[in-house]
Amino acid sequence: MNDSVSTQKDAGAAEQASAAPHTIYLKDYQPPAYRIDATELRVDIGEQSARVSASLTFERQAKNCDSLFLHGESLELISVAINDRTLAADQYKVDTKGLTLFNPPESFTLQTEVVIYPKQNTSLDGLYKSRSIYCTQCEAEGFRKITYFLDRPDVMSDFTTTIIADRASCPILLSNGNRIDSGMLEDGRHFATWHDPFKKPAYLFALVAGDLASIKDEFITQSGRKVALEIFVESKDLDKCDHAMSSLKNSMSWDEKIYGREYDLDIFMIVAVDDFNMGAMENKGLNIFNTSCVLAKPETTTDIGFQRVEAVVAHEYFHNWSGNRVTCRDWFQLSLKEGFTVYRDSCFSADMGSSTVKRVEDVSLLRAHQFPEDAGPMAHPIRPASFIEISNFYTVTIYEKGAEVVRMLANLLGPIEFRKATDLYFDRHDGQAVTTEEFVQAMADVSGRDLTQFKRWYDQAGTPQLKVTDHYHEPSRQYSLTFSQSTPATPECSDKKPFHIPVAIGLLGSAGELALKLDGEELTDLPEDNTHRVLELTQAEQTFVFNDIPEHPVPSLLRGFSAPVKLSFAYSRQDLAELMQRDSDGFNRWEASQNLALGVLDDAILAYRQGDLTEFKVDPLLLDSYRKLLNDDQLDRAMVALMLTLPSQDYIAEQYQVVEVEAIYNARRLLAKTIAKELNAELRKCLMSYDNSQPYRADADSIAARSLKNTALAYLMLEPSQADIEYCVAQFNNANNMTDEMAALSALVYSESALVGDHGKTALANFYVKWQGEALVVNQWLSLQARDPRPNALLRVEDLLQHPAFDAANPNKIRSVIGAFCMANPINFHTGLPDDSSAGYRFLADQVIALDAKNPQMAARLITPLTRWRRYSSKRGQAMRAQLERIQASAGLSGDSYEIVSKSL
Ligand code: B3K
Ligand code: ZN
């Protein structure tokens, strides 16, 4: 955010209000003209409105300043004074974007009083009401909806907050830091005053008032300080907080052990609310969470749900250092805190469970969502150069690709130097608001490496394509690998310079992995584990030659997915089968299984195009390889499950210029059914060897065993025998945990077999009756139906919107029904209804238009599938485009949706 720009914008706000939203550029960044050293807030919450009094201590930093613009939106100004003197009308100006003070003194205290309306705030940004709880969401620019302020992350202030509310309905009053005072007032009202000893930007401010119950615990830090831990929820949810609490404690010790980072306040609080635009928010000392990322117990929460709670609790906790103690100078630097923190939470989850499984999950997410973003109209570098609405930049690119970039740095430096570099970064910048430059500089200073070229990862969008060829020269026993990199044009730049790409490799010989010696390397240079090497690419084309290679090997390339690139190498299917079985790199074993499946899927897609999928024969090599997996007792069960799972429709679509929705869907389904038939005995054996009577446990081995059993069940239920159906129904009825119950439910509902009859319908109805009191379980039930690939899903989705369980104002419900249908049910979204093939697109546009007026951030996010219109056949693409145009033409469109739509057209 840039002050000079916002001043210009706001200087003409009367005209601006109806004009198209405008673009803000990183190159225009100017430091703020004033600091706000201290912020005293008094928030008096009433039934209909809240009154916010602010006293802000300003100190000029710039040489001079004729007018000072403070952000403020949807505020009713009651009074404004400087140093206790009410301002005359010509000393200030108010418009829809903020308050301008004319000729402010060098240092002064500003006193303002405003009225706001939390109950009417449907944007869930600023101070709002979620069911009976008042809460805030200030990142990125929500604080300006609470009071007038320099609402930008490089303005860090000392906050003291007094909250006043009715004691009966709001017994709990929370804000950041430590509670320093509390007491009763007249008329049954009470107050609490909180002081946060750490200066912070306004986006980390938080306030909560409501009737909450809590569980308490404590943590002793490595230096022996006692920290009180408290998780606040509605009392009905008290039995679902233990997992979040143990995840929090695990995160606190992990951050001490791995990064040497200790928690700094005496209390750490988490509050769960039902209405939340994102997963959670890292407000200093007072994290506010979506209930979906806190509450967990085996009966109501799947294994994936448990893991998500653990990961999000950790992520928000880790922000205390990567984000709060060291924060962002401006919002272009968002990945400074988000990329780094995702990297940190990903390593934490890897350490808590299986690191290979976690890597596969992260890479799958990146490929299914970030790669398409990077190839579409919203492509942006992890440090964007411009934006219209920052809320649109909380993207998979900033988060997940940002994490990949930090991972590459960590791997280039190695664990010891990376730790030294993060220590240096935290120490050097503690209490500061900095840029990604400073982060990389700490890495460069510690390692002595020149990271100039590496920094292109921060400025160039697009996924690099890495083409690899090899050559073996038997007489000289030399093996060479040639890499050529290129990056497709993206909206911000068409001429990409080569990236610095670390490529981890190994070479498989017939009897095992080969010792590696690069041409020119001395024997003394060789690392201890000499079967693994990281090649650093810096040129558009580069060849690496290995000496003393006894045979033509199968290269294992990009081990552990060492860089976020699309790699291609002409593997034979036999090579892939070898890698699947023998690669010492677990990730690449999985990768080989995916590539083998992609090859077979490509055969099937071709057959579909030619109209004879019925005659299609699946390559027996894939079936044999899967059979070996199922018979391999040594392999981690979770890995077997992952390797047996076909590439997602999104990832298959990524392989083609034009997405042929029906071809991909039918090819994938046919292959799945063939696997179910051909490997029937092995799959059934896998199912039978699982002991359903064991008590539920959430450790990695138990999760792995359940995941394999349920993968086998899903396959078997595609072409089930009567016995399979009975097994599935029994699992559904008797499961002691939601993972098994959900797996059985979806297998019954999605099965197209006539034998299954009404079992699916009955199970769905029974499930709702059983769980209607548990909102998060009902969300899973809604989502399962919205994702149902069988024909006419849109009709069922429209019915769901009328169901009493649906709530058009709740983001979790919107995601579970509208989001799930449009993003996770491609066959129905893109084919619509039998007599109206664009019905899915029109449905989405209708929903976006209706939602945009209430919650623009959510509306803008939902538009994503339509933005990909260029990837589809021209008829389909034009139909999608027409709906984008409809959204664009709708009256009063928000800046959020305007940005997405206008960039996509
Ligand atoms: N930092 C928050 C995201 C806030 C998004 C605001 N639109 C959550 C997180 O990444 O931890
Ligand atoms: Zn974050």
Side-chain angles (χ1 to χ4, degrees), residues 137 139-140 278 280-282 315-316 319 337-338 391 394 399 857:
Q137 171 55 37
E139 186 177 359
M278 311 268 293
M281 176 65 211
E282 70 264 24
H315 179 97
E316 305 311 330
H319 267 315
K337 73 178 179 81
E338 296 304 347
S391 295
Y394 288 78
Y399 277 66
Q857 287 181 18

Side-chain angles (χ1 to χ4, degrees), residues 228 288 294 309 386 416 442 516 530 565 607 630 646 725 727 730 739 752 774 887 890:
I288 299 182
V294 179
V309 168
S386 68
I416 295 171
L516 305 179
N530 195 24
V565 301
L630 279 161
L646 296 176
I725 297 170
Y727 182 100
T739 308
E752 292 168 359
E774 292 284 354
I887 299 174
S890 72

Side-chain angles (χ1 to χ4, degrees), residues 175-181 193-198 264-267 269:
S175 190
N176 317 88
N178 304 310
R179 190 167 55 196
I180 53 170
D181 196 7
T193 301
W194 292 76
H195 175 244
D196 183 354
F198 293 92
D264 47 15
L265 287 162
D266 297 334
I267 179 161
M269 297 173 283

